[in-house]
Amino acid sequence: MKETRKGKTIGRTLFNWKIRERTKDLKGAVVDLGSGKNASYNRYIAGKPEKIINIDINPDAAPEIIADINKTLPLPDGFADAVFLFSVVYILENPTEVLKEIRRVLKSEGRLLMSAPFIFNEAKEPADYWRFTSSGIYKLLQNAGFKKIEIEPIGERFTAAAYLTSSIFLFWPIKFLLYVLAIGLDKLLPEKIKLKSPAPIGYFVTAKKTND
């Protein structure tokens, strides 16, 4: 309810919950690529990294580093303990090359935490190129040299439908009721349907740079 009142979509809320689950052991230097300004997920980071370096092309976002992440990242090899790539991969011109750059700046055993949309409206920022299935994400990361890849769905078909339709409702209480209903219906879906024919809002991904 709190997040809905703040104007967050069901997709953003489910994603933020996933951040809370997957950042409990976060530490060291973290690089947030395409960080934007005051991203809501920062409130959900459960670990205690020494520093988070925001990189964005937009100076209005007030990042520590202004840079186009489609190009060579202005960071040395083996710099980061973790890299965030949240809600960015679909606007990258060449995702494989960007992921290779991320792997370069990660330390050995460093982690990439990434989200990718699946059932998601077209969002030109200024361009929107890609929608990846879980198999497509795995292949993308594999080609960039990552190992220990874990891909988790964010939501399912009912929450995806709620995400796509909620913009027509003006009042947050109606959206809240829609979101609660959708989450409940997703939980009632048989697991065999979710596994055989997934239809999530997007995917949350973790992967490691290993030298084996």
Side-chain angles (χ1 to χ4, degrees), residues 7-38:
K8 304 305 177 188
T9 66
I10 190 169
R12 174 60 67 172
T13 300
L14 294 175
F15 166 73
N16 285 343
W17 291 353
K18 194 65 70 176
I19 289 287
R20 185 167 53 197
E21 291 175 19
R22 296 300 173 189
T23 59
K24 292 178 181 178
D25 60 346
L26 200 64
K27 58 184 179 180
V30 176
V31 175
D32 188 354
L33 297 177
S35 57
K37 187 175 182 179
N38 299 323

Short mmCIF file of all heavy atoms in Angstrom, two decimals, residues 7-38:
data_model
loop_
_atom_site.label_atom_id
_atom_site.label_comp_id
_atom_site.label_asym_id
_atom_site.label_seq_id
_atom_site.Cartn_x
_atom_site.Cartn_y
_atom_site.Cartn_z
N GLY A 7 3.12 6.02 -5.86
CA GLY A 7 3.06 6.01 -7.32
C GLY A 7 3.86 4.90 -7.97
O GLY A 7 4.04 4.91 -9.20
N LYS A 8 4.35 3.95 -7.17
CA LYS A 8 5.13 2.85 -7.74
C LYS A 8 4.21 1.81 -8.38
O LYS A 8 3.18 1.48 -7.84
CB LYS A 8 5.99 2.17 -6.67
CG LYS A 8 6.93 3.12 -5.93
CD LYS A 8 7.82 3.90 -6.87
CE LYS A 8 8.70 4.88 -6.12
NZ LYS A 8 9.43 5.77 -7.05
N THR A 9 4.63 1.30 -9.53
CA THR A 9 3.87 0.25 -10.19
C THR A 9 4.06 -1.07 -9.46
O THR A 9 4.97 -1.23 -8.64
CB THR A 9 4.32 0.07 -11.64
OG1 THR A 9 5.68 -0.43 -11.64
CG2 THR A 9 4.25 1.37 -12.42
N ILE A 10 3.23 -2.03 -9.80
CA ILE A 10 3.38 -3.36 -9.19
C ILE A 10 4.71 -3.99 -9.62
O ILE A 10 5.35 -4.70 -8.84
CB ILE A 10 2.19 -4.27 -9.55
CG1 ILE A 10 2.23 -5.55 -8.71
CG2 ILE A 10 2.14 -4.56 -11.05
CD1 ILE A 10 0.97 -6.37 -8.78
N GLY A 11 5.14 -3.69 -10.84
CA GLY A 11 6.43 -4.21 -11.29
C GLY A 11 7.57 -3.67 -10.47
O GLY A 11 8.47 -4.40 -10.06
N ARG A 12 7.55 -2.37 -10.19
CA ARG A 12 8.61 -1.75 -9.39
C ARG A 12 8.57 -2.28 -7.96
O ARG A 12 9.62 -2.54 -7.37
CB ARG A 12 8.44 -0.23 -9.40
CG ARG A 12 9.38 0.52 -8.48
CD ARG A 12 10.84 0.29 -8.83
NE ARG A 12 11.19 0.85 -10.10
CZ ARG A 12 12.45 0.91 -10.56
NH1 ARG A 12 13.45 0.41 -9.83
NH2 ARG A 12 12.71 1.42 -11.74
N THR A 13 7.40 -2.47 -7.41
CA THR A 13 7.29 -2.97 -6.03
C THR A 13 7.84 -4.38 -5.91
O THR A 13 8.63 -4.68 -5.00
CB THR A 13 5.82 -2.93 -5.56
OG1 THR A 13 5.35 -1.57 -5.61
CG2 THR A 13 5.69 -3.44 -4.14
N LEU A 14 7.45 -5.26 -6.83
CA LEU A 14 7.96 -6.64 -6.80
C LEU A 14 9.47 -6.67 -7.01
O LEU A 14 10.18 -7.47 -6.40
CB LEU A 14 7.25 -7.48 -7.85
CG LEU A 14 5.75 -7.72 -7.64
CD1 LEU A 14 5.16 -8.46 -8.84
CD2 LEU A 14 5.48 -8.50 -6.36
N PHE A 15 9.96 -5.80 -7.88
CA PHE A 15 11.40 -5.70 -8.11
C PHE A 15 12.12 -5.24 -6.85
O PHE A 15 13.16 -5.79 -6.47
CB PHE A 15 11.67 -4.72 -9.26
CG PHE A 15 13.09 -4.29 -9.38
CD1 PHE A 15 14.07 -5.14 -9.85
CD2 PHE A 15 13.47 -3.00 -9.02
CE1 PHE A 15 15.39 -4.74 -9.96
CE2 PHE A 15 14.78 -2.57 -9.13
CZ PHE A 15 15.75 -3.45 -9.60
N ASN A 16 11.59 -4.24 -6.17
CA ASN A 16 12.21 -3.75 -4.94
C ASN A 16 12.26 -4.83 -3.87
O ASN A 16 13.24 -4.94 -3.12
CB ASN A 16 11.46 -2.52 -4.42
CG ASN A 16 11.75 -1.27 -5.24
OD1 ASN A 16 12.72 -1.22 -5.99
ND2 ASN A 16 10.91 -0.27 -5.10
N TRP A 17 11.22 -5.64 -3.79
CA TRP A 17 11.23 -6.76 -2.83
C TRP A 17 12.37 -7.73 -3.17
O TRP A 17 13.02 -8.28 -2.28
CB TRP A 17 9.90 -7.49 -2.86
CG TRP A 17 8.75 -6.70 -2.29
CD1 TRP A 17 8.81 -5.49 -1.66
CD2 TRP A 17 7.37 -7.06 -2.32
NE1 TRP A 17 7.55 -5.08 -1.29
CE2 TRP A 17 6.65 -6.01 -1.68
CE3 TRP A 17 6.67 -8.15 -2.83
CZ2 TRP A 17 5.26 -6.05 -1.54
CZ3 TRP A 17 5.29 -8.19 -2.68
CH2 TRP A 17 4.60 -7.15 -2.04
N LYS A 18 12.57 -7.95 -4.46
CA LYS A 18 13.65 -8.85 -4.89
C LYS A 18 15.02 -8.27 -4.54
O LYS A 18 15.93 -9.00 -4.15
CB LYS A 18 13.54 -9.09 -6.39
CG LYS A 18 14.37 -10.23 -6.91
CD LYS A 18 13.92 -11.57 -6.37
CE LYS A 18 12.58 -12.00 -6.94
NZ LYS A 18 12.21 -13.36 -6.46
N ILE A 19 15.16 -6.95 -4.64
CA ILE A 19 16.41 -6.29 -4.24
C ILE A 19 16.69 -6.59 -2.76
O ILE A 19 17.82 -6.89 -2.38
CB ILE A 19 16.30 -4.76 -4.45
CG1 ILE A 19 16.32 -4.43 -5.94
CG2 ILE A 19 17.43 -4.02 -3.73
CD1 ILE A 19 17.66 -4.59 -6.60
N ARG A 20 15.69 -6.47 -1.94
CA ARG A 20 15.85 -6.72 -0.51
C ARG A 20 16.32 -8.15 -0.25
O ARG A 20 17.16 -8.40 0.62
CB ARG A 20 14.54 -6.45 0.22
CG ARG A 20 14.61 -6.57 1.73
CD ARG A 20 13.37 -5.97 2.36
NE ARG A 20 12.15 -6.55 1.79
CZ ARG A 20 10.93 -6.00 1.90
NH1 ARG A 20 10.79 -4.86 2.55
NH2 ARG A 20 9.88 -6.58 1.36
N GLU A 21 15.82 -9.10 -1.03
CA GLU A 21 16.20 -10.50 -0.87
C GLU A 21 17.63 -10.76 -1.31
O GLU A 21 18.35 -11.55 -0.69
CB GLU A 21 15.28 -11.40 -1.70
CG GLU A 21 13.85 -11.49 -1.23
CD GLU A 21 13.01 -12.31 -2.20
OE1 GLU A 21 13.61 -13.07 -2.99
OE2 GLU A 21 11.78 -12.18 -2.18
N ARG A 22 18.06 -10.12 -2.39
CA ARG A 22 19.30 -10.48 -3.07
C ARG A 22 20.50 -9.60 -2.75
O ARG A 22 21.57 -9.78 -3.34
CB ARG A 22 19.06 -10.50 -4.59
CG ARG A 22 18.06 -11.56 -5.03
CD ARG A 22 18.53 -12.94 -4.64
NE ARG A 22 17.52 -13.96 -4.89
CZ ARG A 22 17.63 -15.22 -4.48
NH1 ARG A 22 18.70 -15.59 -3.79
NH2 ARG A 22 16.68 -16.09 -4.75
N THR A 23 20.36 -8.66 -1.85
CA THR A 23 21.48 -7.77 -1.52
C THR A 23 21.91 -7.88 -0.06
O THR A 23 22.63 -7.02 0.43
CB THR A 23 21.13 -6.30 -1.84
OG1 THR A 23 19.97 -5.91 -1.07
CG2 THR A 23 20.84 -6.10 -3.32
N LYS A 24 21.49 -8.92 0.61
CA LYS A 24 21.78 -9.04 2.05
C LYS A 24 23.28 -9.13 2.33
O LYS A 24 23.75 -8.67 3.37
CB LYS A 24 21.06 -10.26 2.63
CG LYS A 24 19.55 -10.10 2.67
CD LYS A 24 18.87 -11.35 3.21
CE LYS A 24 17.35 -11.17 3.23
NZ LYS A 24 16.67 -12.40 3.71
N ASP A 25 24.04 -9.73 1.42
CA ASP A 25 25.49 -9.87 1.63
C ASP A 25 26.30 -8.90 0.79
O ASP A 25 27.51 -9.08 0.58
CB ASP A 25 25.92 -11.31 1.34
CG ASP A 25 25.62 -11.73 -0.09
OD1 ASP A 25 24.85 -11.03 -0.78
OD2 ASP A 25 26.14 -12.78 -0.53
N LEU A 26 25.67 -7.85 0.32
CA LEU A 26 26.35 -6.88 -0.52
C LEU A 26 27.39 -6.10 0.28
O LEU A 26 27.12 -5.64 1.39
CB LEU A 26 25.33 -5.91 -1.12
CG LEU A 26 25.74 -5.12 -2.36
CD1 LEU A 26 25.98 -6.05 -3.54
CD2 LEU A 26 24.66 -4.11 -2.71
N LYS A 27 28.59 -5.96 -0.29
CA LYS A 27 29.65 -5.23 0.40
C LYS A 27 30.64 -4.69 -0.63
O LYS A 27 30.55 -4.98 -1.83
CB LYS A 27 30.37 -6.14 1.39
CG LYS A 27 30.98 -7.38 0.78
CD LYS A 27 31.59 -8.28 1.85
CE LYS A 27 32.19 -9.54 1.22
NZ LYS A 27 32.80 -10.43 2.25
N GLY A 28 31.61 -3.93 -0.14
CA GLY A 28 32.66 -3.41 -1.01
C GLY A 28 32.17 -2.28 -1.90
O GLY A 28 31.28 -1.51 -1.55
N ALA A 29 32.77 -2.19 -3.09
CA ALA A 29 32.45 -1.14 -4.05
C ALA A 29 31.39 -1.64 -5.03
O ALA A 29 31.54 -2.67 -5.67
CB ALA A 29 33.70 -0.72 -4.82
N VAL A 30 30.32 -0.86 -5.15
CA VAL A 30 29.21 -1.19 -6.05
C VAL A 30 29.09 -0.10 -7.10
O VAL A 30 29.14 1.09 -6.78
CB VAL A 30 27.89 -1.33 -5.27
CG1 VAL A 30 26.73 -1.60 -6.23
CG2 VAL A 30 27.98 -2.44 -4.23
N VAL A 31 28.93 -0.50 -8.35
CA VAL A 31 28.74 0.44 -9.44
C VAL A 31 27.31 0.27 -9.96
O VAL A 31 26.89 -0.84 -10.30
CB VAL A 31 29.74 0.21 -10.58
CG1 VAL A 31 29.44 1.12 -11.76
CG2 VAL A 31 31.17 0.43 -10.08
N ASP A 32 26.56 1.38 -10.00
CA ASP A 32 25.18 1.36 -10.47
C ASP A 32 25.13 2.04 -11.84
O ASP A 32 25.25 3.26 -11.94
CB ASP A 32 24.28 2.09 -9.46
CG ASP A 32 22.79 1.94 -9.79
OD1 ASP A 32 22.48 1.37 -10.85
OD2 ASP A 32 21.97 2.39 -8.97
N LEU A 33 24.96 1.23 -12.89
CA LEU A 33 24.97 1.74 -14.26
C LEU A 33 23.57 2.16 -14.68
O LEU A 33 22.61 1.40 -14.52
CB LEU A 33 25.51 0.67 -15.21
CG LEU A 33 26.95 0.22 -15.00
CD1 LEU A 33 27.31 -0.89 -15.97
CD2 LEU A 33 27.91 1.40 -15.14
N GLY A 34 23.46 3.36 -15.25
CA GLY A 34 22.15 3.87 -15.61
C GLY A 34 21.31 4.11 -14.37
O GLY A 34 20.13 3.77 -14.31
N SER A 35 21.93 4.70 -13.37
CA SER A 35 21.36 4.78 -12.03
C SER A 35 20.12 5.65 -11.92
O SER A 35 19.28 5.45 -11.06
CB SER A 35 22.42 5.31 -11.05
OG SER A 35 22.90 6.57 -11.49
N GLY A 36 20.00 6.65 -12.81
CA GLY A 36 18.90 7.58 -12.67
C GLY A 36 19.07 8.43 -11.42
O GLY A 36 20.15 8.50 -10.83
N LYS A 37 17.98 9.06 -10.99
CA LYS A 37 18.03 9.94 -9.83
C LYS A 37 17.11 9.42 -8.73
O LYS A 37 15.92 9.20 -8.94
CB LYS A 37 17.60 11.36 -10.23
CG LYS A 37 17.78 12.39 -9.12
CD LYS A 37 17.46 13.79 -9.62
CE LYS A 37 17.69 14.82 -8.53
NZ LYS A 37 17.41 16.20 -9.02
N ASN A 38 17.70 9.21 -7.55
CA ASN A 38 16.93 8.79 -6.38
C ASN A 38 16.07 7.55 -6.65
O ASN A 38 14.87 7.52 -6.37
CB ASN A 38 16.02 9.93 -5.88
CG ASN A 38 16.81 11.15 -5.46
OD1 ASN A 38 17.89 11.05 -4.90
ND2 ASN A 38 16.26 12.33 -5.74
#
